[in-house]
């Protein structure tokens, strides 16, 4: 095993750097965290971390910014950060969402990256508040062994620190880690460490200076499939005749331990629990209610293994890829559906129209590496602008579809590294004059009219040379 | 329909009435044709409705792939396309070896639609090309039959062709094959030939050569045209029907048509070099000689003419003999006598099974059985003789062509199932004529004998009538007598009508004598309608049930609903996404086109079957024991081997059932594969009685590997028997994918083993075929690298 060696090396390095940085004063050290509790959920391939911080202002000036620090290895996989603050007294507590923004700071130790939480009310001297922070990592479970056979179960590594990385002094902290099953091959002990059933407890640790770090490595079984959509292109086409057509193109890959050697259908069919336990058999897509004309196909035709269940609140599309996906296997497919326009298109107060639609991928428990949302506005619409609740890249394109002359405006929104938490609503505003709806029918009508006129003219003209 | 009373009016009003009736009839015929087109299109959509909009079977996948390439890269790239995805390591020059008509047609349609900003995919265009062209084909049939026997027969023939099962089998939506457009081209060429023959117009003659060019572009069956038309010309000359119209119909076709045909890369110089085309040139010469003789006869006195004939004949015969002798010597010097294998197997039905197993192995090249005639043309088989008789009364140039067409195509359809397709239009045309004539006779008899109509009206009514009773019935389309068809509302024909007036009166008198008794004609009419109804029911059934299955996705109905077997696409999709782009996949040639199109992987052989040796190599590998097969495949750089196995679900056209052809074709080139080794007492079996050669060959092993573990016995549902060898291991192959119903199994070649010290000598003798590998991994003492 080389990992303990690597771990100790990292540990040594961190310790050394700690010594170095502790001596220096960090930017705002008048805050301190009196109590921190962290719960890490490793049951699926999306690592969810719930962090409860009790922040105290020990300085003299009021402050409204609280920093969260992430090591550079984690920040690449960080998909989303949310912060909530509890308000009200005792019984009438409500959670209020706070702004979280990535921040660049000068002279940061170890290339750490920061996120700033902006408090609604500044924290005056001596006061304290409790923050709930939720963040998620993707691609953070490393399969080891990296290649497994059909009947082996999938084991993964998870790397983190037993101590919470923070620019502030933490008085007391505890970390709970939840694994999907009781089968844990090994884990790093940082006393006091307890393990009971599927839960591990690191801590409580008392009085750790800022940037304390203590690497841990957990090697455990995770037989859930790792569905990763490498690329998803969602095209949302608005037709003012009453339909919203959504077409989603997926490139799906099983991101778990790579499949090695033989795939035997006999074993797979006769012993489904033992053989191919981590294979991806089916996916569930949650679509909006009142969905119609759903199709599921790929470049060579319809895929017959899908079921659609509908009720008044949601529609669930259960899809199976053409073949079970083992680690490293890929599949591409397209899901398309129509929706009634009145559920999603509204008029805003300033006489503009806006589309209100969910942003992310409708598949449950799926990571999307790259998402492109294309909103195709009807021909003749002007001044498009998109409002998305998180940072994205945007640009405009033109698309020519059925009998278009000037082309339709397409608002293209791109984002990388998405998790289901990104399935929030976004809006695209535009102006549109209803007269443009009649352009194409009129064009067709006049074309046919001209054709008939030409026919009539031809029948009434004698073109023969002889008389 | 104009009421009968109106025709009792005075003569001048009669003309206007007639004009109105003709105009009305013209509009009616137009709408009937439109509806026939719609019906032809929509009856072929069963496959889309019952299954999905997908390309069918094998060859259409190749055409689809070519069309995709054309749509993506343009026409010039298409002509120069060298395809390295197939016939590895040889490749194939697609632009020069494919009949481009179909792909160019679909590519043009796609380009046109997309330039109008109608974003249909290439696949959609390809799927619907065949139904669109079958509508065109039924319109062309109308035109052709109209030229032969008038509008009524034309409409009937068009309606029959729109739903003839034989043609449906090749042109359902998704059946994107050459025949889909070629049948239209064939009928249209014939129509233009007849039109030229009837009018003597050079305009139509030119159009005819262009239509012929389109046919040459579309299908190898164009040789049928270039032999049938000369035969007809010869027939006309022999029966003394030579005319300048015949000359105009034929001479431009040969000259222009041959020049145009030579433009198609796949035909090229074959248009003048192969025996298939010689008949046309011979007839071309004969036609000129005859024309010359007629010319000379015109300018000389009879006595002088006789002298000239004896002179020319004696000199000419000697010259001809010399030329013919040279020609025969030239032709005989080539091994196939200048004929391609497929044409030869047409002339001599036993030829293919004797010499070319690869042609014989294709099921559509087998002779048809009697039931298949009933299945494919149904009641037309009974109507055809009547139609032929109708063609003889009176025999015109055009009707003699139809007779010749049906006589030759009956023969060809008897040789190959596939050519039933050429026979079907001929059967439709003659049956259309028969039905139309029969209806004509019966309705006229009824009309003559119906009380309350004065004899005065009868004459006119009969003369210009379309059959009103019949049209109201609507089961089969209206007929008009031959005279009316010429009464088109043009200035020219009006003049003609005037002249014909006294003549038609006499004709009508004659017709009155031909009238049948009222009750018998009513009954016969009803019976005919019943026959037509039976035909319609059969055609709809055939279109819906028999011919709409796309064959890449299978369905079966059981008590718990519809069950879908989508294994082929499952396997192809797996290959597409989970193997390396440059990996080579070996399978029997049937699956070559599909593998390249759906899995986008390089194949060793495909359905083009142009290289018999290459196919025989794969056949040999499949029929060899594992080790030898591994060596063959390894030398071909193959990474995956794909076999189709139907034993688990009872899919009968799997590789085990095709296996004897692999043995035959392999044995044809590599004599160490002997068919008797695989047969026990002349019987092909895979149970415990099977020969050891059979039980140890690669195909058996790959098909039945671990099959016994499914039910404990290894019961093969196709062969209805337990397999002979149940437990065995594979040493040189490993299973990498098997589809859900086991219909496709994919194996990977294991990499060559590292040599173990001490076994060096033994393994060296075994792996002698791959010298490069021996160099790399050799650890022998003589190896200079150690």
């Amino acid at each position: 095993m080389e990992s303990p060696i690597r771990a100790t090396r990292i540990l040594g390095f961190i310790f050394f750097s700690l010594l170095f940085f502790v001596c220096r004063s960090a930017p705002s050290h008048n805050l301190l965290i009196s109590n921190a509790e962290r719960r890490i959920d490793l049951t699926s391939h999306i690592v969810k971390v719930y962090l409860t911080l009790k922040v105290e202002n020990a300085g003299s000036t009021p402050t409204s910014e609280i920093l969260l620090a992430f090591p550079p290895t984690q920040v690449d996989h960080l998909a989303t950060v949310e912060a909530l603050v509890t308000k009200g007294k005792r019984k009438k507590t409500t959670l209020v969402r706070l702004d979280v923004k990535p921040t660049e700071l000068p002279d940061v130790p170890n290339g750490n990256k920061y996120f700033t939480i902006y408090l609604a009310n500044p924290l005056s001297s001596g006061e304290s508040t409790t923050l709930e922070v939720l963040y998620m990592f993707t691609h953070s479970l490393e399969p080891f062994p990296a290649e497994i056979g059909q009947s082996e179960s999938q084991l993964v590594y998870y790397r983190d620190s037993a101590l919470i990385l923070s620019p502030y002094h933490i008085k007391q902290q505890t970390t709970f880690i939840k694994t999907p099953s009781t089968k844990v091959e090994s884990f790093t002990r940082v006393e006091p460490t307890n393990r009971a059933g599927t839960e591990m407890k690191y801590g409580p640790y008392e009085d750790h200076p800022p940037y304390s770090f203590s690497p841990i490595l957990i090697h455990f079984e995770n037989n859930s499939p790792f569905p990763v959509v490498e690329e998803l292109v969602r095209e949302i086409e608005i037709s003012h005749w009453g339909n919203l057509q959504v077409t989603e193109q997926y490139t799906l890959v099983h991101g778990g331990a790579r499949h090695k050697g033989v795939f035997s259908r006999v074993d797979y069919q006769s012993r489904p629990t033992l053989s191919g336990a981590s294979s991806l058999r089916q996916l569930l897509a949650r679509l909006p209610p009142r969905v119609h004309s759903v199709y599921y196909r790929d470049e060579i035709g319809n895929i017959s293994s899908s079921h659609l269940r509908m009720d008044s609140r949601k529609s669930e599309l259960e899809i199976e890829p053409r073949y079970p996906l083992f680690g490293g296997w890929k599949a591409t497919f397209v899901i398309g559906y129509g929706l009634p326009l009145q559920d999603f298109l509204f008029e805003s107060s300033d006489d503009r129209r806006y589309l209100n639609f969910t942003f992310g991928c409708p598949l449950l428990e799926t990571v999307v590496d790259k998402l492109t949302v294309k909103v195709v506005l009807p021909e003749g619409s002007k001044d498009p602008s998109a409002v998305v609740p998180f940072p994205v890249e945007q640009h405009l394109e033109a698309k020519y579809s059925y009998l278009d002359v000037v082309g339709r405006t397409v608002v293209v929104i791109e984002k990388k590294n998405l998790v289901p938490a990104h399935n929030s609503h976004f809006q695209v505003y535009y102006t549109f004059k209803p007269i443009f709806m009649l352009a194409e029918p009129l064009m067709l009508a006049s074309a046919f009219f001209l054709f008939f006129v030409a026919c009539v003219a031809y029948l009434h003209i004698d073109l023969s040379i002889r008389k | 329909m104009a009421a009968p009373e109106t025709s009792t009016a005075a003569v001048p009003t009669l003309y206007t009435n007639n004009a109105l009736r003709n105009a009305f009839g013209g509009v009616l015929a137009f709408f009937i044709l439109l509806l026939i087109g719609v019906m032809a299109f929509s009856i072929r959509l069963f496959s889309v409705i019952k299954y999905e909009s997908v390309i069918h079977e094998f060859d259409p996948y190749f055409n689809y792939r070519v069309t995709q390439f054309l749509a993506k890269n343009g026409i010039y790239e298409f002509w120069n396309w060298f395809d390295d995805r197939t016939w590895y390591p040889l490749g194939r020059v697609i632009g020069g070896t494919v009949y481009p008509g179909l792909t160019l047609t679909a590519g043009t349609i796609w380009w046109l639609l997309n330039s109008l900003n109608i974003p249909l995919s290439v696949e959609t265009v390809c799927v619907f090309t065949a139904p669109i062209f079958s509508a065109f084909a039924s319109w062309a049939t109308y035109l052709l039959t109209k030229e032969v026997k008038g509008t009524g027969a034309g409409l009937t023939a068009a309606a029959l062709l729109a739903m003839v099962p034989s043609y449906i089998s090749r042109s359902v939506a998704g059946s994107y094959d050459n025949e889909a457009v070629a049948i239209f081209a064939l009928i249209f060429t014939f129509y233009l030939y007849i039109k030229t023959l009837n009018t003597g117009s050079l305009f139509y003659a030119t159009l005819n050569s262009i239509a012929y060019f389109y046919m040459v572009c579309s299908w190898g069956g164009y040789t049928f045209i270039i032999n049938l038309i000369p035969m007809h010309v010869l027939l006309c000359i022999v029966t003394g029907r030579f005319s300048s119209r015949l000359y105009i119909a034929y001479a431009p076709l040969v000259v222009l048509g041959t020049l145009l045909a030579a433009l198609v890369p796949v035909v090229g110089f074959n248009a003048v070099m192969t025996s298939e085309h010689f008949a046309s040139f011979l007839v071309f010469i004969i036609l000129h000689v005859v024309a010359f003789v007629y010319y000379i006869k015109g300018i000389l006195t009879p006595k002088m003419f006789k002298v000239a004939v004896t002179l020319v004949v004696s000199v000419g015969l000697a010259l001809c003999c010399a030329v013919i002798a040279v020609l025969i010597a030239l032709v005989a010097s080539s091994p196939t006598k200048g004929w391609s294998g497929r044409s030869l197997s047409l002339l001599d039905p036993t030829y293919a099974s004797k010499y070319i197993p690869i042609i014989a192995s294709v099921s559509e090249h087998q002779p048809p059985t009697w039931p298949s005639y009933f299945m494919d043309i149904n009641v037309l088989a009974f109507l055809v003789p009547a139609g032929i008789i109708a063609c003889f009364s009176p025999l015109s140039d055009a009707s003699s062509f139809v007779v010749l067409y049906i006589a030759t195509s009956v023969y060809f359809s008897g040789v190959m199932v596939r050519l039933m397709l050429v026979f079907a239009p001929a059967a439709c045309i003659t049956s259309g004529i028969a039905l139309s004539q029969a209806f004509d006779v019966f309705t006229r008899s009824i009309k003559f004998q119906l009380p309350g109509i004065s004899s005065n009206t009868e004459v006119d009514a009969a003369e210009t009538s379309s059959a009103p009773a019949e049209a109201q019935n609507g089961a089969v389309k209206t007929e008009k007598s031959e005279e009316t068809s010429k009464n088109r509302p043009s200035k020219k024909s009006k003049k003609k009508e005037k002249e014909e007036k006294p003549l038609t009166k006499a004709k009508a008198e004659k017709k009155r004598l031909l009238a049948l008794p009222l009750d018998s004609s009513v009954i016969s009419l009803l019976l005919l309608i019943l026959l037509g109804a039976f035909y319609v029911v059969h055609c709809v059934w055939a279109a819906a049930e028999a011919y709409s299955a796309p064959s890449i996705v299978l369905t079966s109905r059981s008590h718990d609903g519809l069950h879908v077997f989508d294994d082929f696409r499952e396997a192809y999709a797996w290959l597409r996404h989970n193997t390396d782009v440059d990996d080579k996949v070996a399978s029997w040639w049937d699956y070559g086109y599909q593998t390249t199109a759906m899995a986008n992987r390089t194949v060793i052989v495909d359905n083009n079957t142009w290289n018999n040796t290459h196919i025989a190599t794969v056949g040999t590998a499949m029929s060899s024991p594992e080790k030898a097969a591994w060596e063959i495949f390894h030398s071909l750089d193959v990474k995956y081997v794909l076999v189709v196995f139907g034993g688990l679900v009872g899919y009968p056209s799997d590789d085990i059932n095709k296996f004897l052809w692999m043995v035959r074709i392999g044995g044809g080139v590599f004599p160490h594969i002997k068919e008797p080794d695989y047969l026990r007492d002349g019987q092909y079996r895979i149970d415990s009685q099977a020969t050891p050669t059979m039980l140890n060959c690669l195909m058996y092993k790959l098909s039945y590997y671990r099959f016994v573990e499914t039910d404990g016995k290894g019961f093969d549902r196709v062969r209805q028997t337990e397999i002979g060898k149940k437990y065995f291991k594979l040493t040189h192959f490993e299973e990498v994918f098997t589809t859900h119903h086991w219909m496709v199994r994919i194996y990977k070649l294991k990499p060559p083993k590292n040599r173990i010290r001490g076994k060096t000598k033994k393994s060296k003798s075994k792996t002698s075929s791959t010298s490069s590998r021996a160099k790399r991994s050799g650890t022998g003492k003589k190896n200079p690298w150690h």
Side-chain angles (χ1 to χ4, degrees), chain A residues 323-439:
Chain A
Y323 40 87
L325 287 182
F326 282 82
W329 286 13
K330 280 187 186 180
T332 59
F333 55 89
V334 180
I335 298 176
Y337 45 93
L339 291 165
L341 190 69
Q342 64 265 32
D343 294 4
F344 302 97
L345 194 75
F346 307 96
E347 275 189 49
S348 68
S349 51
D350 57 344
D351 226 25
R352 299 174 82 192
R353 289 154 204 267
Y354 69 95
L355 173 83
N356 188 30
F357 204 71
T358 43
F359 186 77
C361 163
L363 297 180
L364 300 185
E365 284 297 307
T366 308
V367 171
V368 182
D369 287 349
K370 188 184 176 216
L371 171 72
T372 311
V373 178
K374 294 181 176 178
V375 181
V376 183
L377 303 175
E379 197 178 21
S381 40
K382 290 194 181 76
D383 315 321
S385 63
V387 179
V388 190
F390 27 78
V392 287
E393 283 176 33
Q394 279 186 41
H395 64 272
L396 293 179
E397 271 178 10
K399 185 193 171 185
Y400 293 89
S401 184
Y402 292 93
L403 298 172
D404 286 347
V405 181
V406 292
R408 305 180 185 197
T409 316
V410 184
V411 182
V412 184
I413 305 168
E414 284 176 2
K415 179 156 174 59
K416 289 194 170 126
N417 202 10
L418 283 94
V419 287
H422 286 105
N423 286 6
S424 54
H425 285 86
F426 75 106
Q427 291 81 33
V428 175
Y429 290 87
Y430 64 97
T431 53
F432 180 76
K433 291 202 180 74
I435 191 76
F436 281 107
M437 279 167 72
L438 295 174

Side-chain angles (χ1 to χ4, degrees), chain B residues 619-636:
Chain B
T620 307
M622 292 294 189
S623 28
S624 304
E626 215 187 321
K627 173 100 188 153
W630 183 89
E631 274 165 17
I632 293 172
F633 281 140
H634 190 73
S635 71
L636 282 170

Side-chain angles (χ1 to χ4, degrees), chain B residues 8 25 127 130 163 192 241 287 333 376 464 484 501 527 576 614 628 642 687 702 735:
Chain B
T8 55
V127 165
M163 51 186 169
L192 286 169
R241 288 174 165 273
L287 187 73
S333 64
D376 275 0
T464 55
T484 34
K501 192 71 193 157
L527 285 178
R576 187 185 189 100
H614 221 49
L642 179 151
D687 55 7
L702 297 191
E735 184 186 11

Side-chain angles (χ1 to χ4, degrees), chain A residues 262-267 269 297 299-302 304 322-323 329-330 332 400-404 462, chain B residues 52 117-119 123 491 566 569-570 573-574 576-578 598 706 709 735-740 742:
Chain A
V262 173
F263 166 64
S264 166
R265 185 61 80 164
V266 173
D267 295 341
Q269 279 171 338
R297 54 172 293 150
E299 60 267 75
I300 55 174
N302 181 47
S304 49
R322 284 196 187 274
Y323 40 87
W329 286 13
K330 280 187 186 180
T332 59
Y400 293 89
S401 184
Y402 292 93
L403 298 172
D404 286 347
D462 190 2
Chain B
E52 56 178 288
N117 281 333
I118 298 176
E123 190 189 8
K491 289 151 199 171
D566 205 358
R569 285 191 296 191
E570 183 182 344
W574 185 85
R576 187 185 189 100
H577 295 297
N578 300 306
M598 285 200 261
R706 296 189 73 181
E709 291 172 44
E735 184 186 11
V736 286
F737 191 73
T738 297
T739 56
H740 190 248
W742 288 55

Side-chain angles (χ1 to χ4, degrees), chain B residues 474-738:
Chain B
V476 181
K477 308 299 173 278
T478 47
E479 278 87 65
K480 292 179 181 179
S481 60
E482 204 175 345
E483 293 95 312
T484 34
S485 72
K486 280 177 187 160
N487 281 348
R488 312 232 58 177
S490 64
K491 289 151 199 171
K492 197 169 66 183
S493 55
K494 265 181 199 162
K495 234 181 277 166
K496 210 188 256 173
E497 202 181 346
K498 229 177 246 174
E499 292 156 15
E500 277 175 1
K501 192 71 193 157
L503 212 142
T504 44
K505 211 158 203 171
K507 245 186 204 171
E509 282 299 317
K510 212 170 103 191
K511 275 182 185 166
R512 189 203 295 266
L513 292 176
L514 286 173
L516 294 167
L518 179 67
D519 41 357
S520 64
S521 43
V522 169
I523 289 169
S524 328
L525 208 60
L526 286 176
L527 285 178
L528 272 186
I529 290 166
L530 207 69
L531 198 70
F534 180 66
Y535 176 71
V536 172
V537 169
H538 173 80
C539 289
V540 172
W541 172 82
E545 300 294 329
Y547 292 134
S548 59
S551 96
I552 55 157
V553 47
L554 311 164
T555 54
S556 78
R557 278 200 192 85
S558 60
H559 54 276
D560 54 345
L562 196 72
H563 201 72
V564 181
F565 299 89
D566 205 358
D567 285 37
F568 287 106
R569 285 191 296 191
E570 183 182 344
Y572 293 133
W574 185 85
L575 275 175
R576 187 185 189 100
H577 295 297
N578 300 306
T579 57
D580 202 44
V581 170
D582 285 329
D583 284 345
K584 281 87 192 168
V585 181
S587 66
W588 190 232
W589 59 263
D590 295 27
Y591 315 106
Y593 278 166
Q594 291 185 346
T595 311
T596 42
M598 285 200 261
N600 194 21
R601 291 293 171 267
T602 309
V603 295
I604 304 300
V605 292
D606 70 20
N607 310 42
N608 182 241
T609 65
W610 65 272
N611 188 327
N612 194 29
T613 316
H614 221 49
I615 291 179
T617 310
V618 174
T620 307
M622 292 294 189
S623 28
S624 304
E626 215 187 321
K627 173 100 188 153
W630 183 89
E631 274 165 17
I632 293 172
F633 281 140
H634 190 73
S635 71
L636 282 170
D637 208 7
V638 167
K639 198 101 172 265
Y640 297 95
V641 181
L642 179 151
V643 293
V644 172
F645 170 65
L648 187 75
V649 288
Y651 171 65
S653 49
D654 65 349
D655 277 347
I656 290 286
N657 273 4
K658 289 172 185 169
F659 182 59
L660 269 194
W661 287 110
M662 301 182 204
V663 173
R664 269 173 217 159
I665 292 168
V669 177
F670 303 99
H672 68 275
I673 302 289
K674 295 182 195 70
E675 192 180 333
D677 293 347
Y678 297 85
L679 303 174
R680 173 74 71 194
D681 305 327
Q683 272 189 316
Y684 178 61
R685 52 200 311 168
I686 44 104
D687 55 7
S688 48
Q689 299 293 306
T691 58
T693 322
M694 177 71 212
L695 295 181
N696 284 315
C697 73
L698 184 71
M699 180 50 75
Y700 181 90
K701 283 192 164 179
L702 297 191
S703 291
Y704 293 114
Y705 177 61
R706 296 189 73 181
F707 177 58
V708 70
E709 291 172 44
T710 53
D711 59 352
K713 287 189 307 221
F715 186 79
D716 185 322
R717 285 193 177 75
V718 175
R719 267 64 61 176
Q720 290 296 332
T721 173
E722 269 182 42
I723 58 171
K725 196 173 168 183
K726 294 178 181 173
Y727 300 95
F728 53 87
K729 280 199 171 128
L730 293 174
T731 44
H732 296 92
F733 294 85
E734 62 180 9
E735 184 186 11
V736 286
F737 191 73
T738 297

Side-chain angles (χ1 to χ4, degrees), chain B residues 436-480:
Chain B
S436 152
Q437 298 270 328
F439 272 116
D440 207 19
V441 169
F442 295 139
T443 49
R444 200 171 50 233
S445 310
I446 292 170
K447 200 183 285 174
F448 269 111
Q449 285 161 29
L450 273 183
I453 298 171
S454 68
S455 61
N456 197 5
T457 58
E458 282 164 23
V459 179
D460 295 327
E463 170 202 330
T464 55
S465 81
S466 43
E470 210 292 305
Q472 279 149 18
N473 268 329
V476 181
K477 308 299 173 278
T478 47
E479 278 87 65
K480 292 179 181 179

Side-chain angles (χ1 to χ4, degrees), chain B residues 99 212 216 220 222-224 226-227 230 254 258 261-262 264-282 327 330-332 334-344 347:
Chain B
Y99 284 100
Y212 172 67
V216 177
Y222 75 92
T223 46
F224 180 63
I226 205 63
N227 284 302
V254 170
T258 308
V264 182
V266 63
V267 177
F269 278 107
N270 284 350
V272 287
M273 305 263 284
T274 56
S275 299
E276 279 98 343
H277 303 80
F278 280 174
S280 65
F281 302 131
L282 196 67
L327 264 181
L330 268 177
V331 170
S334 82
T336 57
K337 313 274 184 293
W339 293 81
S340 69
R342 285 206 170 95
S343 311
L344 260 186
L347 299 178

